Amino acid sequence: MKKLKLVLLWLGIFGFWTVNQASQAQTPINGKVVDTQNRPIPGVVVNNGINFTVTDQNGTYSLPTDIEKCRHISISVPADYYIPVNELNLIEFYKPIKKEKSSDSYNFTLKKRERIEKKFTYLVFSDPQPKNDFHFVRFFTETVPDVKKFLNTKQGDVYGFVEGDIVSDALHLYPLYTSAIASWNIPMMHVIGNHDFDQKFAAFSHTGNKKKYAEHEYESFFGPTDYSLNIGDIHIICMKDIDYLGNKKYNTRFLKEQLEWLKKDLSYVKPGSTVFLNVHVPLFNMLKDSQSNAKSVLSILQKFNVHIFSGHTHFHKNEILANNIYEHNVGAVCGFHWQGNSSRCGTPNGYMIVDVDGDNIRWHFKPTGHDLNYQFKIYKPGEFSSQAEYIVANVWDWDNTYKINWYEDGILKGSMEQFSDIDQDFIDSGRVKVYRTDHLFRAKPSSTAKKIKIEVINRFGDTYNETIELENKYLEKMLTK
C-alpha cells in the first residue's frame, strides 16, 4: 500500500510539473490592430508561426505562444488597407517576440484605403545574388536604373517580390542592397534563398537557439520566412523551402510544421480565390523528391487558382503543374552569377512583370536594358553551332500555348520546330555547359531566301515580330551544296 501511495504521489507531482511546464511554454501574447484614426480593425488574421487567430470587434487578439519556438507576431494585411513599410520600403507586417517583454502588447496600425485596389503590378525578381563589390556595382548600375525607368512608365500600385538569394552568402551586403532598392519607392517583399543563411549555423528548426540560428540575419532585415498578405483579390504567400543544415549544406523541402502553417493560413481564404505562392526553389524540381513535401503543398493548394513564383535555377521556365497551378521559374536578375548577360538558358538578365486586374493575370519577362518588346532573340544560320543551317529563336517566356511562325520572303512557311539544346550565347561565354533548354525553335530557310520574319504570339494574343536579312556568304554556301 505504501508503494502504491508513493507511485500515486509521484504521478501527481509529475502531472502537476507537466501541466505547469505546458502552461509556462504557452504564454498568451496580446495585442490590437487599429487604423490611423485609432479605430479597431476586426477580422485581421494574426499568427505567431504556429497558432492563428483573428482580431475581435475591438481589434484585439490573444495568441497562446511558445516563446521559446515562436520568433514573430505577424498579421496578414487585409486588402482594404495599405501594406505598411519602413524607411527602406521593406514591408512591416510583423513584430519580433522578445522573451523578456512577452507581457507587452504587440500592436499594429494600418492605413485605410479609400477602396480595394484590384488593379496592380507585381514585379518578380529572382536571385540578385551579389557576392562582391563588382557584382553589386553591376546590380546598382544595371538593374536598379532599369527598374526605375520601367516604374516611370507605370501608373497605379506596384509591388516588388524577391524570390531569394538576395545576396550570395555575403550577408554584409544586405545594408547596401536594401538602400539600393529603397530608391524604387515601392513596397518590397522577400523570400529566403539558400545563399541568404548564415553559414555558421543550422536553421532554427535544428538549433532551437534564438541567438544562434541561420535565419537570424535575414530576419533582422526582412522578417519572418513564412507570411502572407492580401492585395486586391489576390492572397499572397511567401514560404521558405530550404531546410538549412549549415556550412552551405541544405535540403530543399517544406517542414511538416510549415504544411500546418499553410493549411491554417488558407483556412481564412475563400476556396476558388487566386493565390500567389512565392518560394525560392521551384516546386517542379522538388516534386522529384518524395521527402520534399512538395506534393503535400500542391494538395493543400488544390482548392485555389495558383501562380507559383520561384528562382534558384538561373534559368527561365514556365511549368503547368495542374489545371489550377502554374509555376513561373523566373530567370535571374544576375543571369549566371553576374558572368555575362544571360541565365543558363539564354534568357537575358532581367525580371518578370505581372499585371493583375482582379483575377485576370498577365505576365511578361522584362530583360534588363531592353524594352518589353524584346521577347526572343534570333540566331542566323551559322551562328548556332549545332544548328548551322537553321535560323534559331530562343523564346524565353514560352509555354505550350505559344504560336511561333516563320516567314520566308513574305510567305508564311508554318510553325518553327521546337528542340532542346544548350543556348549558344551561354556556350560562347565559356561557362559550364550544364543546361539544355527547351524554349528553342528552328527553321531551315531555302538557299534563295533573302528575308526571314519570326512571329511569336503568346497566350495573351500579344504578337512580337523580328525580320532579319540573310547574308550573301550564307546564300553562296547554300547554293554551292
Side-chain angles (χ1 to χ4, degrees):
M1 180 62 81
K2 287 184 178 179
K3 287 184 178 181
L4 179 60
K5 288 181 178 179
L6 285 172
V7 169
L8 291 172
L9 178 62
W10 182 86
L11 287 173
I13 293 171
F14 178 77
F16 173 79
W17 179 86
T18 303
V19 171
N20 189 49
Q21 286 297 106
S23 65
Q24 287 180 356
Q26 295 292 318
T27 301
I29 283 186
N30 305 305
K32 192 171 186 178
V33 184
V34 299
D35 66 14
T36 51
Q37 304 299 315
N38 204 35
R39 294 173 297 199
I41 307 176
V44 179
V45 178
V46 187
N47 82 89
N48 57 20
I50 298 176
N51 297 319
F52 282 67
T53 190
V54 294
T55 55
D56 62 19
Q57 290 301 312
N58 296 315
T60 61
Y61 69 89
S62 182
L63 267 176
T65 301
D66 184 341
I67 59 176
E68 297 298 332
K69 291 182 179 180
C70 301
R71 306 190 298 280
H72 301 90
I73 298 294
S74 305
I75 60 171
S76 190
V77 180
D80 47 347
Y81 291 84
Y82 289 97
I83 298 172
V85 297
N86 64 14
E87 67 279 3
L88 295 172
N89 291 314
L90 303 175
I91 61 171
E92 284 198 327
F93 58 94
Y94 64 93
K95 293 187 181 297
I97 296 172
K98 297 180 180 179
K99 185 176 180 180
E100 66 278 8
K101 295 184 179 180
S102 59
S103 61
D104 289 359
S105 291
Y106 289 72
N107 300 326
F108 298 87
T109 301
L110 301 176
K111 182 181 179 181
K112 180 76 172 177
R113 290 178 176 273
E114 291 184 6
R115 64 182 182 279
I116 295 177
E117 186 54 69
K118 298 188 177 186
K119 193 172 184 179
F120 62 92
T121 301
Y122 189 90
L123 302 184
V124 183
F125 305 90
S126 94
D127 303 78
Q129 210 163 340
K131 188 178 184 67
N132 51 45
D133 291 346
F134 170 73
H135 292 170
F136 184 78
V137 167
R138 286 201 63 184
F139 176 73
F140 189 73
T141 59
E142 296 173 23
T143 307
V144 171
D146 190 86
V147 175
K148 284 183 179 179
K149 184 178 178 181
F150 170 75
L151 290 173
N152 286 336
T153 69
K154 297 297 293 184
Q155 293 183 344
D157 293 348
V158 183
Y159 304 88
F161 285 77
V162 183
E163 310 300 337
D165 283 2
I166 303 162
V167 297
S168 186
D169 303 310
L171 306 190
H172 66 279
L173 290 177
Y174 278 159
L176 279 176
Y177 163 83
T178 53
S179 295
I181 64 170
S183 65
W184 294 338
N185 200 31
I186 60 174
M188 292 294 299
M189 290 147 259
H190 293 78
V191 169
I192 193 167
N194 53 291
H195 289 290
D196 297 319
F197 292 85
D198 189 331
Q199 299 175 52
K200 298 190 298 294
F201 309 111
F204 182 80
S205 58
H206 295 288
T207 68
N209 186 331
K210 278 196 170 184
K211 294 183 179 179
K212 296 180 179 180
Y213 65 99
E215 305 97 321
H216 186 272
E217 189 71 8
Y218 169 93
E219 290 179 354
S220 70
F221 281 87
F222 308 110
T225 55
D226 296 343
Y227 60 94
S228 72
L229 48 88
N230 302 276
I231 305 175
D233 289 339
I234 312 299
H235 184 67
I236 297 171
I237 301 171
C238 298
M239 292 186 73
K240 179 181 76 169
D241 59 0
I242 300 289
D243 182 19
Y244 200 74
L245 307 176
N247 196 28
K248 295 189 177 183
K249 296 179 181 178
Y250 60 92
N251 295 308
T252 57
R253 66 184 174 203
F254 297 93
L255 302 180
K256 290 182 179 179
E257 295 84 352
Q258 290 181 280
L259 300 181
E260 291 304 311
W261 180 92
L262 181 60
K263 289 177 186 176
K264 293 174 184 177
D265 179 79
L266 287 171
S267 71
Y268 298 96
V269 181
K270 182 182 178 182
S273 300
T274 300
V275 171
F276 286 0
L277 173 62
N278 299 270
V279 293
H280 181 57
V281 179
L283 266 70
F284 63 71
N285 270 4
M286 297 173 69
L287 286 169
K288 301 170 187 176
D289 178 7
S290 61
Q291 302 299 312
S292 71
N293 287 319
K295 287 184 179 179
S296 297
V297 170
L298 296 185
S299 178
I300 296 169
L301 294 169
Q302 65 182 341
K303 295 180 181 179
F304 305 92
N305 296 313
V306 182
H307 287 269
I308 300 173
F309 300 94
S310 56
H312 184 63
T313 61
H314 295 261
F315 57 75
H316 189 83
K317 185 176 183 179
N318 295 313
E319 192 83 10
I320 299 173
L321 302 181
N323 289 335
N324 63 316
I325 301 177
Y326 191 112
E327 179 158 29
H328 312 260
N329 187 219
V330 181
V333 168
C334 71
F336 191 71
H337 307 283
W338 295 109
Q339 300 175 41
N341 297 296
S342 69
S343 290
R344 293 194 294 156
C345 61
T347 302
N349 298 6
Y351 48 97
M352 177 170 278
I353 297 167
V354 183
D355 292 307
V356 181
D357 188 356
D359 289 316
N360 183 28
I361 316 297
R362 295 168 58 94
W363 59 89
H364 303 82
F365 187 81
K366 168 67 174 68
T368 303
H370 299 271
D371 64 30
L372 268 177
N373 288 322
Y374 185 50
Q375 290 296 307
F376 64 98
K377 64 180 175 183
I378 296 177
Y379 294 97
K380 294 181 180 181
E383 293 180 344
F384 202 107
S385 58
S386 69
Q387 310 289 325
E389 297 181 359
Y390 290 83
I391 288 174
V392 174
N394 189 329
V395 187
W396 36 80
D397 212 11
W398 172 85
D399 66 22
N400 59 16
T401 66
Y402 270 55
K403 295 179 181 178
I404 302 173
N405 303 317
W406 70 290
Y407 297 75
E408 181 176 293
D409 295 327
I411 299 173
L412 175 64
K413 304 297 287 186
S415 299
M416 296 184 76
E417 178 188 5
Q418 186 177 14
F419 69 103
S420 177
D421 207 338
I422 305 168
D423 179 76
Q424 188 64 45
D425 280 349
F426 190 82
I427 294 173
D428 293 342
S429 71
R431 292 170 285 177
V432 182
K433 304 167 187 176
V434 294
Y435 180 71
R436 300 173 72 87
T437 180
D438 59 2
H439 49 64
L440 295 172
F441 300 83
R442 67 186 180 186
K444 188 175 181 179
S446 70
S447 59
T448 59
K450 295 180 180 179
K451 288 185 179 181
I452 301 295
K453 183 177 83 169
I454 307 298
E455 177 186 68
V456 173
I457 305 172
N458 68 11
R459 63 164 44 233
F460 309 113
D462 301 325
T463 301
Y464 305 94
N465 298 293
E466 186 173 347
T467 300
I468 60 169
E469 295 187 8
L470 298 183
E471 299 175 6
N472 289 332
K473 61 182 180 180
Y474 166 72
L475 297 176
E476 292 171 1
K477 184 177 178 181
M478 294 292 291
L479 288 169
T480 55
K481 284 190 174 185

